[in-house]
Each structure stands twice: as structure tokens, then as C-alpha cells.
């Protein structure tokens, strides 16, 4: 049966239980993809769009606008489709989100982490969160993939509601990072700092991030990682540096160089993700 487009759910309504909506979303995904459970989830950030094809064959696509709790993509050119991808030639399935809701969109934290909670409800035990970001470290230029070892959440928000004091030690799974480094031993590890955005940082804010112990600056991932931990999933975070953060390079970035670095890195990033997903 083809259900009509779901009635929009207002996740921000305090009377709405976001986990119940995630459960409904998972049921729609199971129905549309024909598989009862997915095993691993991937969220593809800027620069990571093409990588899903290297993970395996897409067996089904589901328009996010037809899944409870999801809104259409806010950013022009971002795909608002989720895919069910066969992992290599195994019988495991990856649930791949081609876009994410950012905190700066103002739809509330529940919307930001809805894909993560849906993935957990769909059966995923691990999630790979990818992003494009700025680098506060001058030695990590555009095109460098970096494993997230930890984060600093500067949004002043949490996806967790009520007195649930979730432990975030080892939030970014040492086991999964180890698997990624087996695939690519040159991989660097760094601390990701989530700013609210949508403006980029001032040079002073980038310096602050460095002094705090940060290496990468961006506008996503930390809130999603916290929600993933709350739901009991193992988390792997991988950033692709697409630019040196404000004030780090000493000269304005040539947009062409950034694009070229991104293209060069796409291949390496795709192979990395595909190999890691196979090992998880
Ligand atoms: I792509 O330099 C990308 N996303 N906050 N700063 C922040 N987010 C980003 C940046 C950056 N580059």
C-alpha cells in the first residue's frame, strides 16, 4: 500500500514524543525499503555526497518528505532522499541520509537529531556522521579527511531533555576509529568544535577554538553524536576539511583550490567510508 504523504509532524511541540515519531519514521522506512531492519546509518555532509555509491548498490530510495518528522532539504542542491544501500555483497543494509537538518535552520534540536533517532529505531547499531568543516590547524589544508576524536559543543543546547545524565566519555568510538585507521593509517584525529552558525567564525573565535583544544570548526555533528549515544549507537565521526578557518591561512582562500582539493579528496573519502562500513 502506498501511503499518502505523511501529515507534517511538529517535532517542536512539547506534547509530541520525538522517539515515537522516530518509531513511526522507521516503520515507514521499513515499508518503503522492504527490509525490516537496517544495520548501520550514514549521514553525508558537505563534500561527502558521492561516497554512498562506493559503499554498495542502492536497493531503495525514500523521499524524506514522506517520512514522519522530516522536512525537505533547506539547502539548494542537497538531496532530500534517504537510501537503503546494500553493504558490498553482504546481507547488511546501510541507511544513508543525503542531507541533514542544521541547528541554524531554527527548527529546533529535535529536528536536528531526528535522522539519528530514526536510524536507531530502524535498527542501526552504529552511525557514521560526516561533515565538511574549517580547519583551525594550518597544517591540515583543504582536502584533508580527519577522524573526530572528541567534540566541544558551543551551541549551548542538548538533544537530551530532562534529567538524563548521559556519559560522553569515548563518545567517538575508539573501536571504530581503530578500524578507520586500519583502512587509512595516515588519518589524523582531531577535536571538532560545533558553532551555531550560520555565519562563519571571526578569526578571534577560531583562535578561541584552538586555545580550547579544538582542531576543526563546523556547524553540525556534535548534537547528533550526543543523540546517537543516548540511543545506544556506536559513533564514528569523519570530517573533510574544505577550508582553513577564518584567519588561519594568512591569505584569503582561492575558491578554485578548495574545489580542487575537494574533488581530489572525494575518491579517498569514498574508499575510506566504504571500507570502514564493510568492517563495522
Ligand atoms: I564547509 O570554516 C565549512 N563549514 N563553522 N566554519 C564553520 N563551518 C564550516 C566551515 C568553517 N567550513
Amino acid at each position: 500500500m502506498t501511503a499518502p504523504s505523511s501529515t507534517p509532524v511538529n517535532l517542536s511541540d512539547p506534547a509530541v514524543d520525538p522517539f515515537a515519531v522516530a518509531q513511526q519514521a522507521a516503520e515507514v522506512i521499513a515499508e518503503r525499503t522492504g527490509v525490516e531492519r537496517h544495520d548501520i546509518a550514514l549521514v553525508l555532509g558537505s563534500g561527502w555526497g558521492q561516497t554512498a555509491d562506493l559503499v554498495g548498490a542502492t536497493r531503495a530510495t525514500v523521499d524524506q518528505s514522506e517520512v514522519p518528522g522530516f522536512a525537505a532539504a533547506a539547502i539548494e542542491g542537497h538531496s532530500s532522499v534517504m537510501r537503503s544501500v546494500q553493504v558490498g555483497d553482504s546481507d547488511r543494509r546501510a541507511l544513508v541520509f543525503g542531507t541533514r537538518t542544521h541547528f541554524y535552520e531554527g527548527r529546533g534540536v529535535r529536528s536536528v537529531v531526528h535522522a539519528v533517532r530514526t536510524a536507531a529505531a530502524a535498527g542501526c547499531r552504529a552511525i557514521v556522521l560526516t561533515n565538511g568543516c574549517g580547519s583551525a590547524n594550518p597544517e591540515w589544508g583543504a582536502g584533508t579527511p580527519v577522524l573526530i576524536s572528541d567534540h566541544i559543543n558551543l551551541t549551548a543546547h542538548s538533544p537530551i531533555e530532562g534529567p538524563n545524565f548521559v556519559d560522553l566519555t569515548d563518545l567517538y568510538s575508539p573501536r571504530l576509529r581503530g578500524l578507520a585507521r586500519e583502512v587509512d593509517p595516515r588519518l589524523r584525529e582531531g577535536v571538532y568544535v560545533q558553532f551555531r552558525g550560520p555565519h562563519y567564525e571571526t578569526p578571534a573565535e577560531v583562535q578561541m577554538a584552538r586555545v580550547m583544544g579544538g582542531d576543526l570548526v563546523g556547524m553540525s555533528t556534535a548534537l547528533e553524536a550526543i543523540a546517537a549515544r543516548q540511543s545506544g549507537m556506536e559513533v564514528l565521526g569523519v570530517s573533510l576539511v574544505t577550508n582553513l578557518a577564518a584567519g588561519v591561512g594568512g591569505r584569503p582562500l582561492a575558491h578554485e583550490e578548495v574545489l580542487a582539493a575537494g574533488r581530489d579528496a572525494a575518491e579517498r573519502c569514498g574508499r575510506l567510508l566504504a571500507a570502514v562500513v564493510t568492517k563495522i
Side-chain angles (χ1 to χ4, degrees):
M1 185 194 77
T2 307
S5 286
S6 56
T7 22
V9 182
N10 179 11
L11 275 177
S12 299
D13 181 344
V16 167
D17 173 4
F19 294 95
V21 180
Q23 188 58 47
Q24 291 165 20
E27 283 161 18
V28 170
I29 291 167
E31 182 203 322
R32 300 291 172 89
T33 60
V35 286
E36 206 54 52
R37 289 175 57 88
H38 283 76
D39 303 287
I40 180 169
L42 265 76
V43 179
L44 303 179
S46 325
W48 293 86
Q50 333 76 335
T51 57
D53 292 331
L54 291 165
V55 171
T58 297
R59 295 302 177 201
T61 60
V62 184
D63 198 313
Q64 290 198 355
S65 62
E66 295 172 12
V67 182
F70 287 85
I75 302 175
E76 185 75 23
H78 277 213
S79 138
S80 60
V81 157
M82 54 182 93
R83 300 199 246 173
S84 176
V85 174
Q86 182 181 2
V87 178
D89 52 14
S90 74
D91 56 6
R92 293 183 308 131
R93 285 290 185 102
L95 186 59
V96 181
F97 296 92
T99 187
R100 57 159 50 93
T101 296
H102 289 87
F103 186 58
Y104 58 70
E105 291 171 43
R107 292 173 175 159
V109 195
R110 287 176 169 191
S111 293
V112 171
V113 301
H114 185 57
V116 172
R117 289 178 174 156
T118 297
C124 299
R125 307 288 296 274
I127 187 164
V128 183
L129 301 170
T130 68
N131 64 55
C133 70
S135 173
N137 179 342
E139 283 167 21
W140 297 352
T144 310
V146 181
L147 290 177
I148 300 176
S149 57
D150 204 345
H151 79 222
I152 296 172
N153 171 14
L154 293 186
T155 67
H157 285 261
S158 171
I160 302 173
E161 301 170 33
N164 181 0
F165 307 110
V166 172
D167 174 55
L168 300 181
T169 312
D170 287 341
L171 175 56
Y172 297 89
S173 163
R175 183 182 85 86
L176 299 187
R177 282 188 271 150
L179 291 181
R181 280 196 314 272
E182 282 175 20
V183 173
D184 187 345
R186 294 175 301 162
L187 274 175
R188 301 283 181 267
E189 296 201 354
V191 173
Y192 179 91
V193 184
Q194 180 174 2
F195 283 84
R196 183 195 183 282
H199 52 274
Y200 292 123
E201 300 71 33
T202 63
E205 287 164 344
V206 172
Q207 278 310 305
M208 174 189 76
R210 284 208 84 177
V211 169
M212 287 173 150
D215 299 293
L216 308 167
V217 291
M219 304 176 193
S220 69
T221 305
L223 293 170
E224 293 154 68
I226 295 167
R229 165 53 56 92
Q230 179 190 20
S231 289
M233 284 189 282
E234 265 191 300
V235 179
L236 181 67
V238 198
S239 290
L240 173 62
V241 174
T242 59
N243 57 281
L244 287 175
V248 175
R251 66 185 166 101
L253 284 172
H255 189 53
E256 256 315 306
E257 281 173 44
V258 173
L259 292 180
R263 276 194 297 273
D264 293 350
E267 171 87 24
R268 185 180 171 198
C269 290
R271 278 200 313 268
L272 170 69
L273 265 202
V276 171
V277 167
T278 309
K279 279 173 173 259
I280 289 178

